[in-house]
Amino acid sequence: MLKIKNAEFVVSATDYKKCPQNDTYEFAFIGRSNVGKSSLINMLTNRKNLAKTSSTPGKTQLINHFIINDSWYLVDLPGYGYAKAAKTERRKWEKFISNYLINRPNLINLFVLLDSRHAPQKIDLEFINWCGENNIPFSLIFTKIDKIASSQLSKNLTGYKKKLKEQWEELPPIFVSSSTSKHGQEQILSYIDDILKSI
Ligand code: GTP
Ligand code: MG
């Protein structure tokens, strides 16, 4: 299994042009504000405070690169769907993030995080469809599974897959995670490892 020997913060960028050079591969994390992107990065790397987390939505505002094993990046992105954000703010976010997603040829996989407790939300489905239309390679991670009974989790997963199949012939890879119990760590890291080995 992939061993994280080293994980270091590199830069917080206000613009995709200010991100590190496209010199190695990267995996990014996106999803609603508060879904658990930053916590997941800490969980995967076994670090407590590598990425900054908060119980208040809207914590991560910039594009944050972390270099892993001196070799490839994990990228923490700001969340969407922040309830208090004004429409103009939302437009700004969309431009900022879509620029990053479209202009990073070294981005080999985008993890789209979904809260395992909720039914499919319009904003997430729209984002997933946007990824498909723009050929962004992505997979799904259902987060916070420690907060839900396993029977409810499997119900929600079945419901979500059914919803996705209305739009997609083939489903993307799907993971489940908990940043508190570390559930999913091994599966997600070996998925990353397999991709890195295949390129
Ligand atoms: P933004 O940066 O605001 O977009 O949010 P984020 O998606 O990075 O979420 P963050 O990791 O900051 O977590 C939000 C809140 O959810 C924090 O209070 C975390 O402690 C909590 N949280 C995240 N993941 C989990 C999880 O797997 N289980 C539980 N119980 N809580 C979690
Ligand atoms: Mg965050």
Side-chain angles (χ1 to χ4, degrees):
M1 157 153 151
L2 174 64
K3 256 215 161 118
I4 309 268
K5 290 176 228 142
N6 224 309
E8 275 169 61
F9 170 74
V10 180
V11 67
S12 284
T14 50
D15 191 288
Y16 76 94
K17 290 179 188 149
K18 293 182 182 145
C19 289
Q21 274 193 313
N22 281 338
D23 52 1
T24 181
Y25 297 109
E26 67 197 35
F27 299 81
F29 298 81
I30 206 162
R32 261 180 183 243
S33 276
N34 213 244
V35 71
K37 303 172 291 292
S38 304
S39 304
L40 183 64
I41 289 180
N42 291 336
M43 185 273 257
L44 292 174
T45 54
N46 290 317
R47 303 295 192 277
K48 276 213 172 81
N49 296 306
L50 184 65
K52 292 203 180 92
T53 67
S54 165
S55 54
T56 329
K59 177 70 180 173
T60 310
Q61 292 284 341
L62 303 172
I63 303 171
N64 298 287
H65 276 74
F66 302 96
I67 188 133
I68 310 301
N69 296 345
D70 298 315
S71 148
W72 47 275
Y73 297 115
L74 288 180
V75 184
D76 193 14
L77 296 171
Y80 54 74
Y82 178 31
K84 280 191 194 150
K87 222 178 203 166
T88 46
E89 281 298 305
R90 220 175 125 174
R91 293 262 156 74
K92 243 168 71 187
W93 182 92
E94 280 168 10
K95 194 81 212 136
F96 172 54
I97 293 302
S98 59
N99 269 334
Y100 162 78
L101 294 173
I102 289 169
N103 294 295
R104 284 300 274 186
N106 57 329
L107 173 69
I108 29 178
N109 181 69
L110 177 68
F111 289 106
V112 180
L113 275 58
L114 303 160
D115 192 317
S116 64
R117 295 169 295 176
H118 304 322
Q121 310 276 305
K122 191 169 164 229
I123 190 165
D124 293 313
L125 295 167
E126 280 174 1
F127 183 76
I128 290 169
N129 287 339
W130 182 89
C131 288
E133 283 157 17
N134 289 279
N135 295 318
I136 311 288
F138 69 94
S139 29
L140 304 177
I141 303 180
F142 288 87
T143 64
K144 305 193 186 185
I145 63 159
D146 57 283
K147 290 195 172 212
I148 183 176
S150 62
S151 54
Q152 190 61 43
L153 174 64
S154 45
K155 236 189 220 166
N156 288 0
L157 285 177
T158 309
Y160 221 105
K161 286 179 195 162
K162 203 172 148 202
K163 188 81 196 165
L164 289 174
K165 282 200 170 144
E166 290 173 11
Q167 297 265 343
W168 300 79
E169 252 171 64
E170 229 180 294
L171 293 179
I174 295 176
F175 302 93
V176 295
S177 76
S178 163
S179 298
T180 50
S181 76
K182 292 195 181 266
H183 189 107
Q185 187 191 43
E186 205 177 317
Q187 289 85 346
I188 297 166
L189 287 180
S190 31
Y191 175 69
I192 290 176
D193 200 26
D194 287 347
I195 295 181
L196 288 170
K197 279 179 181 149
S198 71
I199 49 182

